Amino acid sequence: MSANESIHEYWMRHALALAERAREEGEVPVGAVLVHGEQVIGEGWNRPIGRHDPTAHAEIMALRQGGMVLQNYRLLDTTLYVTLEPCVMCAGAMVHSRISHLVFGARDAKTGAAGSLLDVLHHPGMNHQVQVSEGILAGECAAMLSDFFRQRRQQKKALRQAARQAGEEDAGA
């Protein structure tokens, strides 16, 4: 393992811990860490449900915090670590903030904007290009998401069954 890989894994583990916070809050478990030099200047986890804010994605939260720390909307020479490939909104924010590097874990075939569905970060019309490294702890990142959605499906199924049983009991009474 190269020094870069071990650094990427170190920060991705930090992002995974933040994703766990999102899961505990009932949010889709995605975590993000913004690093400048060797210091965290921003962190975030998905919070759109709890904050009633469609923009409260992990990446946006980390970028906002980083801007406050640096007192600049330009986040030059920073690396953003995210457990899941960013969506179009988040990728656009990365271009506008001028981050240098995105490192993500799992791909998102449905909405990923770093190469899966679209590639916003390398689009020739953009005024900034972001270096991308992917697949860091991909298995762990993907497993956390898969487990979350499996549990959510099981909960919905249990609620439907309970409602069905209650309806049958009411009909029999």
Side-chain angles (χ1 to χ4, degrees):
M1 178 183 308
S2 74
N4 247 7
E5 282 178 292
S6 64
I7 289 167
H8 289 340
E9 286 189 12
Y10 174 83
W11 291 118
M12 190 61 71
R13 290 198 188 288
H14 188 105
L16 277 163
L18 295 168
E20 178 60 27
R21 289 183 73 170
R23 189 194 63 73
E24 289 168 0
E25 293 176 14
E27 304 273 2
V28 175
V30 177
V33 181
L34 184 63
V35 177
H36 184 256
E38 295 179 15
Q39 267 192 309
V40 172
I41 61 166
E43 330 182 294
W45 57 94
N46 269 4
R47 302 175 91 181
I49 298 166
R51 291 206 169 181
H52 311 292
D53 178 356
T55 69
H57 288 198
E59 301 94 323
I60 300 295
M61 306 301 277
L63 293 173
R64 286 178 181 158
Q65 201 174 76
M68 295 303 290
V69 168
L70 294 180
Q71 288 293 287
N72 196 337
Y73 72 102
R74 298 281 168 98
L75 304 173
L76 305 173
D77 303 317
T78 59
T79 299
L80 183 64
Y81 293 87
V82 187
T83 57
L84 181 64
E85 180 180 3
C87 69
V88 172
M89 173 184 68
C90 293
M94 290 173 207
V95 169
H96 287 296
S97 68
R98 307 291 197 276
I99 69 164
S100 301
H101 194 181
L102 164 68
V103 179
F104 71 87
R107 279 197 161 269
D108 185 348
K110 292 181 182 174
T111 64
S116 289
L117 177 66
L118 300 167
D119 192 356
V120 172
L121 302 176
H122 296 114
H123 190 281
M126 292 293 178
N127 60 354
H128 176 72
Q129 306 278 305
V130 176
Q131 179 186 349
V132 177
S133 301
E134 64 175 271
I136 307 299
L137 302 180
E140 292 176 50
C141 294
M144 181 178 280
L145 287 155
S146 295
D147 292 347
F148 174 81
F149 286 112
R150 186 179 317 104
Q151 286 176 337
R152 188 177 261 186
R153 285 190 300 273
Q154 288 170 347
Q155 288 168 346
K156 285 182 179 179
K157 184 177 179 182
L159 286 172
R160 283 193 305 270
Q161 286 175 338
R164 203 175 307 119
Q165 287 174 345
E168 289 169 3
E169 288 172 9
D170 289 346

